[in-house]
Amino acid sequence: MFSDAEVFQRYPDLRITWDNIEYFRGLLGHRFLINRCQNCGYWIYPHRPMCPECWFTDVRPTEVSGAGRVHMYTLLHQGGVDGALGYGFEYPHLTGAIELDEQPGLRYHAPIVNCDYADVYHQMPVEVTWLEPEGHPVVAFEPSASPNREIEGN
Amino acid sequence: MSTRMMDQVAIVGVGSAPYSRDSKRSSLSLGLEAARNAVLDAGIDKNQIDGVCGYGMSAVEAHGAGFLSVQGALGIGETNWVLNSWSGSNLVYATQAVHSGLTDYCLVIQVEMRSPHMSAQAASDPFRVNPTRFAGTSSYGVYSAEWIHTGQVYAAWLNKYMDDYKVSRNTLGLIAINNRQWASKNPAAVKREPITMDDYLNARPIWEPFGVLDMDIPIDGAEALVLTTADRARDMKNKPVFLHSLSLGGTRVGEYYENGIAWDKTCPWVSNKGVWSRTDLTTADLDIFFPYDGYMTTAISHIEASGFCGVGEAKYLLQDSWDEDEHIIKLNGGRTMVTTNGGGFSHGRMSGFNFFTEAAQQLRGTVEVERQVPNAKVVLASTGSFHHDSAAVILRAD
């Protein structure tokens, strides 16, 4: 288990709050956590302390399966305040919003890896893979290894 | 929706600072020049200004062209109402402040700088990088800081839009060509050479499918307006331009752009629904229409949200409205012009505030004759992001 101090120390450039620290603590241990309402079961992202559906405040960081589909995507050729993507990522860089299988509309922004821009498509099944650029664990997605998911999903 | 604010507040002063790619000036310097010009244009004493809507993303931002700096720098003695904001909300906030009586003469300032977020060259200029270290820093995650408050997500949106509605870049490019064609008649625009569809299709890729011509052009510049009540405006030196109907548009997406809901549920649809519910006018009454061209994605969305066509039908509207001879879009069978100053794509990035200044001057009848729309009476400026600060404003002149 990583202490609060360690979470702050490992992510010095981020605004870490009581609302999101469990998420970052999870990343350090390669656990992908999304807040979930303990009353209605709604998955809540971004990391808010109250359920937007039922206003229940017992919201718990809960591990997700890591399976999802590409909702939208772009190939970045440039960007970044210092001309770099940060965390060692290089251009051109494939990035997208992944809709997680847990709930319609539950989307997470992440790198898409092990896939060319020409091959990615909307609704492509993907699953989590972990990157660790410069010692910062990052959730990324790659094409799903399970061939059946595509048939089920369509 | 109430119409009690209809035509009760007017624009009486318009001012600008020059647009350039590298002004070597501070945002405060540019903001002050635009502000001074707007107050001079209004023909009032600076100490009549009793409200300032400064430029800034936080209400009490203490640097740049926020009200804390602007008021003192302009030497305005006393104000009774101040706020920082940015386009397009700032015009709506200032209008409601004047209408409520909290300020009688309100100055509104919008500044844009070619920031390191928007330009690879700016990212190597220490004068431009340094201020970003003190702006609100990211709290969004290890990876997503860039996605937020940059346009990368709009590139992804456009990919999805083109796929969902089977739209090709050959159609989208008409907007870029239209805006450049108008900019060629605007001496204040930073990009004035007409472009072709080949230029558009072959533009340098930035965030695919965006090429460089799908994005507004980052510049240093500023704009400002002076507002007062309609009653006062009728006794002042300029032809009044009335704020006829206004609406902001917010959704629950907030700053997490990947949560963007359906294409036709984003902020432009909300602000347009609001603006049209507060008037009996329709799109058929518009002489000029400004759909926000921060990115190609927003331009398309504001066109569809305005009601000129249905969801996913911008491609038909653009094709049907294209004037082959003049290389511009003409809506409503030819009487409604689109983005007569060149917009963000070609005049320069002003987050849509240059729509308001251009609209005011078109309605006064005071722009260069080459681009003056004859007898312009009604304008819709529909500006703002998918996820914040969307504002639709109908401006009107007698």
Side-chain angles (χ1 to χ4, degrees):
Chain A
M1 193 61 170
F2 299 89
S3 68
D4 286 356
E6 193 166 0
V7 178
F8 280 99
Q9 183 248 320
R10 291 280 294 276
Y11 295 111
D13 301 329
L14 296 173
R15 195 177 300 162
I16 293 170
T17 71
W18 289 111
D19 296 337
N20 64 22
I21 192 166
E22 296 310 323
Y23 162 77
F24 291 110
R25 203 188 321 271
L27 290 186
L28 289 177
H30 287 201
R31 296 178 67 226
F32 183 15
L33 303 177
I34 299 286
N35 283 352
R36 191 169 198 194
C37 177
Q38 299 303 299
N39 180 49
C40 72
Y42 190 76
W43 294 91
I44 304 156
Y45 184 81
H47 320 288
R48 304 300 191 215
M50 188 177 83
C51 177
E53 293 296 310
C54 73
W55 289 7
F56 207 65
T57 54
D58 186 0
V59 161
R60 293 184 197 166
T62 306
E63 196 157 7
V64 290
S65 68
R69 288 169 182 275
V70 174
H71 179 73
M72 54 186 179
Y73 60 93
T74 176
L75 183 69
L76 307 179
H77 290 272
Q78 65 178 65
V81 169
D82 55 2
L85 269 169
Y87 295 114
F89 289 118
E90 291 179 353
Y91 297 108
H93 178 74
L94 183 57
T95 188
I98 308 302
E99 184 151 311
L100 303 178
D101 278 359
E102 275 72 13
Q103 181 173 288
L106 179 68
R107 297 185 201 134
Y108 187 87
H109 174 223
I112 300 170
V113 297
N114 301 325
C115 183
D116 288 338
Y117 180 64
D119 296 329
V120 67
Y121 57 96
H122 294 114
Q123 298 301 316
M124 182 174 83
V126 290
E127 59 192 30
V128 160
T129 182
W130 288 87
L131 306 179
E132 195 136 350
E134 299 176 358
H136 300 84
V138 169
V139 171
F141 288 84
E142 62 183 357
S144 174
S146 161
N148 293 331
R149 285 195 59 240
E150 185 152 12
I151 298 160
E152 291 164 10
N154 289 334
Chain B
M1 298 287 186
S2 166
T3 57
R4 73 176 72 113
M5 207 158 75
M6 180 186 287
D7 300 331
Q8 296 301 300
V9 175
I11 296 169
V12 294
V14 179
S16 302
Y19 285 31
S20 66
R21 293 282 279 161
D22 192 6
S23 65
K24 303 201 189 304
R25 291 172 63 183
S26 69
S27 57
L28 178 60
S29 165
L30 292 163
L32 291 173
E33 180 175 345
R36 181 200 65 195
N37 291 341
V39 175
L40 291 173
D41 178 61
I44 58 175
D45 184 89
K46 71 180 181 184
N47 282 314
Q48 288 180 267
I49 298 288
D50 59 356
V52 176
C53 191
Y55 176 68
M57 284 273 215
S58 82
V60 291
E61 196 161 298
H63 52 83
F67 67 81
L68 283 170
S69 305
V70 164
Q71 183 177 349
L74 289 175
I76 294 170
E78 299 181 351
T79 53
N80 301 116
W81 181 88
V82 288
L83 185 70
N84 286 332
S85 181
W86 80 309
S87 185
S89 341
N90 52 9
L91 182 61
V92 179
Y93 297 153
T95 302
Q96 74 188 65
V98 170
H99 184 245
S100 72
L102 290 175
T103 162
D104 291 336
Y105 293 94
C106 185
L107 176 64
V108 191
I109 300 169
Q110 172 77 16
V111 182
E112 288 288 342
M113 299 298 289
R114 187 170 55 92
S115 87
H117 299 281
M118 302 164 188
S119 154
Q121 286 173 319
S124 61
D125 178 347
F127 283 99
R128 294 173 187 275
V129 172
N130 181 274
T132 66
R133 293 177 45 226
F134 304 100
T137 52
S138 158
S139 61
Y140 305 108
V142 182
Y143 175 74
S144 292
E146 276 302 299
W147 181 268
I148 308 302
H149 289 137
T150 79
Q152 296 171 1
V153 69
Y154 292 93
W157 261 117
L158 191 62
N159 253 337
K160 184 165 169 52
Y161 176 83
M162 291 167 67
D163 195 10
D164 286 348
Y165 298 108
K166 306 299 167 214
V167 180
S168 80
R169 297 188 76 234
N170 279 305
T171 306
L172 303 178
L174 298 176
I175 297 173
I177 296 169
N178 171 82
N179 292 13
R180 184 61 65 84
Q181 202 65 25
W182 282 107
S184 73
K185 301 173 181 175
N186 180 1
V190 296
K191 292 288 183 186
R192 302 190 59 194
E193 325 74 44
I195 54 171
T196 66
M197 187 60 80
D198 278 349
D199 293 332
Y200 172 76
L201 295 174
N202 296 319
R204 181 166 59 93
I206 305 292
W207 306 322
E208 296 195 32
F210 281 180
V212 72
L213 295 176
D214 290 294
M215 311 166 79
D216 56 9
I217 178 95
I219 51 103
D220 299 342
E223 302 279 0
L225 295 171
V226 176
L227 308 186
T228 192
T229 60
D231 285 346
R232 289 190 189 88
R234 290 196 175 89
D235 295 329
M236 294 175 69
K237 72 176 232 235
N238 295 314
K239 180 179 177 183
V241 173
F242 301 106
L243 282 314
H244 176 76
S245 177
L246 309 88
S247 179
L248 297 175
T251 72
R252 63 186 281 175
V253 173
E255 71 272 51
Y256 277 72
Y257 287 7
E258 63 267 41
N259 286 348
I261 39 190
W263 168 258
D264 61 344
K265 299 287 185 289
T266 53
C267 289
W269 269 268
V270 181
S271 54
N272 271 279
K273 226 181 328 180
V275 81
W276 291 115
S277 75
R278 291 174 170 86
T279 178
D280 292 330
L281 299 177
T282 70
T283 54
D285 296 305
L286 295 174
D287 298 296
I288 310 173
F289 173 41
F290 293 91
Y292 179 50
D293 56 341
Y295 299 104
M296 184 58 75
T297 323
T298 56
I300 297 290
S301 74
H302 283 272
I303 288 171
E304 294 184 357
S306 71
F308 271 106
C309 65
V311 176
E313 294 177 352
K315 62 179 177 182
Y316 305 118
L317 181 76
L318 292 169
Q319 287 159 2
D320 293 348
S321 307
W322 187 246
D323 186 310
E324 289 284 354
D325 300 322
E326 297 185 49
H327 303 289
I328 58 172
I329 300 161
K330 291 182 173 179
L331 302 171
N332 284 328
R335 67 170 293 262
T336 305
M337 302 300 146
V338 177
T339 314
T340 51
N341 60 348
F345 283 175
S346 293
H347 180 207
R349 171 187 169 80
M350 196 47 62
S351 294
F353 204 87
N354 50 347
F355 294 170
F356 303 142
T357 46
E358 169 77 2
Q361 287 169 317
Q362 283 278 1
L363 290 168
R364 286 179 179 180
T366 55
V367 299
E368 288 77 12
V369 64
E370 297 79 26
R371 70 174 202 284
Q372 176 69 53
V373 177
N375 299 313
K377 301 280 191 219
V378 181
V379 176
L380 170 65
S382 184
T383 183
S385 134
F386 266 25
H387 306 313
H388 62 88
D389 291 280
S390 198
V393 178
I394 298 174
L395 305 99
R396 193 187 66 74
D398 285 333

